[in-house]
Amino acid sequence: MRLKDKVAVITGAASGIGRETCLLFAEQGAKVVAVDINEKEGAETIRKIHNTGGQAVFFKADVSKAADCKNMINTAVEQYGRLDILFNNAGIMHSKDDDAVNTEEEVFDLTYAVNVKGVFLGCKFGIPALRKSGGGVIINTASFVAKLGAATPQIAYTASKGAVLALTRELAVVHARENIRINALCPGPLKTELLMKFLDTEEKKQRRLVHVPMGRFGLAKEMAQAALYLASDESSFVTGTEFMVDGGISSAYVTPE
Ligand code: NAD
């Protein structure tokens, strides 16, 4: 078991990457606090973990709210006595996110509140708990769009993920000597709710796949495996990195037919 007796808080736990990571971390021996705004699907994540004999509790929180983030960390400490791993993974891609001219200010602000402030707040309350544990790990979910310009505009989302990388770099440097490793996970295009809602026609899906050398969407399970590496002691000298798990999209100029 690669995470035996570690205590992990995972946000965005009701779906996609967050859910698969909860299942995998629990299977690897972690005690999981699964956090999401979606109580119904969050409960389903917990049911799946309990069915396989894992340990987990659900905590309903909106990561853009300070009080919620404080309480999600407190839940880990109260339930399981400590915090070792914080996965700031919850994120949104608004259906009305567009180019700079056509994106409403409210869409931009909401995207930043969840995708950027959510990461900041997780760290604000998570770092003191990690210090008490003698160190630990933070993983922040960014995206390949933080590194590459997309022709399908989503200006608020793209900017928010760039901010996640900047946050991650500074956090990693500032907390390196406290034995806290902080890395960003940069998924490529995935077959999850979030992207499939956005690429809602076969034509849009194919348009995106043209750029992926592997010629397919990634799976949430594949992101969970990458998060497991970053969370485990196997990555003990890895901090401040932008871990691209993207089917080769960030390396491609022209993709094979
Ligand atoms: P998803 O939509 O399947 O899951 C996201 C989860 O976050 C949902 O359960 C949702 O309820 C929760 N959530 C949304 N707002 C929240 C809030 N304010 N507080 C708490 N929970 C909230 O998406 P996913 O594909 O699993 O995405 C997870 C992360 O990966 C996101 O940060 C996303 O931006 C990033 N990402 C996804 C892709 C992709 O192609 N799907 C690519 C790169 C990065």
Side-chain angles (χ1 to χ4, degrees), residues 94-111 153-157:
H94 202 287
S95 59
K96 293 196 173 142
D97 196 354
D98 203 311
D99 59 21
V101 177
N102 292 306
T103 301
E104 297 298 335
E105 190 179 353
E106 295 71 37
V107 170
F108 194 91
D109 287 347
L110 177 62
T111 304
Q154 37 175 201
I155 196 74
Y157 184 80

Side-chain angles (χ1 to χ4, degrees), residues 7-232:
V7 177
V9 168
I10 299 173
T11 71
S15 176
I17 300 174
R19 172 178 282 172
E20 291 300 335
T21 305
C22 286
L23 301 183
L24 184 62
F25 280 21
E27 191 187 298
Q28 291 297 327
K31 296 166 188 162
V32 174
V33 178
V35 176
D36 208 286
I37 38 170
N38 185 335
E39 214 162 355
K40 183 166 169 279
E41 291 302 320
E44 179 60 15
T45 300
I46 301 300
R47 195 189 60 77
K48 284 173 182 271
I49 293 174
H50 288 170
N51 275 353
T52 52
Q55 293 188 67
V57 290
F58 176 72
F59 184 75
K60 184 180 180 186
D62 176 344
V63 297
S64 68
K65 304 272 187 297
D68 284 15
C69 288
K70 190 175 181 185
N71 289 333
M72 82 183 179
I73 301 296
N74 286 345
T75 300
V77 175
E78 281 159 19
Q79 285 278 329
Y80 299 125
R82 56 190 286 124
L83 179 70
D84 301 291
I85 301 160
L86 170 61
F87 189 13
N88 290 311
N89 166 73
I92 57 166
M93 186 190 278
H94 202 287
S95 59
K96 293 196 173 142
D97 196 354
D98 203 311
D99 59 21
V101 177
N102 292 306
T103 301
E104 297 298 335
E105 190 179 353
E106 295 71 37
V107 170
F108 194 91
D109 287 347
L110 177 62
T111 304
Y112 253 65
V114 178
N115 294 8
V116 184
K117 196 166 80 167
V119 172
F120 158 71
L121 290 172
C123 293
K124 182 175 178 61
F125 298 108
I127 287 170
L130 293 174
R131 280 181 178 145
K132 282 192 190 139
S133 304
V137 174
I138 298 176
I139 305 163
N140 299 323
T141 305
S143 169
F144 72 102
V145 301
K147 305 286 286 180
L148 300 166
T152 320
Q154 37 175 201
I155 196 74
Y157 184 80
T158 298
S160 76
K161 293 304 186 180
V164 171
L165 292 189
L167 274 169
T168 303
R169 278 192 296 267
E170 181 170 309
L171 286 160
V173 172
V174 169
H175 300 286
R177 301 216 176 173
E178 297 182 279
N179 196 30
I180 302 174
R181 295 188 299 108
I182 304 167
N183 290 292
L185 174 65
C186 295
L190 304 182
K191 204 174 180 174
T192 66
E193 196 55 23
L194 179 126
L195 187 64
M196 293 303 111
K197 265 198 302 200
F198 188 73
L199 305 178
D200 55 1
T201 65
E202 193 50 34
E203 195 190 341
K204 285 187 198 167
K205 290 187 178 70
Q206 290 308 322
R207 170 95 177 76
R208 182 61 60 93
L209 282 179
V210 164
H211 301 286
V212 185
M214 290 180 80
R216 66 170 175 87
F217 291 106
L219 303 174
K221 274 181 197 260
E222 293 172 309
M223 300 307 118
Q225 291 289 351
L228 174 59
Y229 168 69
L230 292 174
S232 73

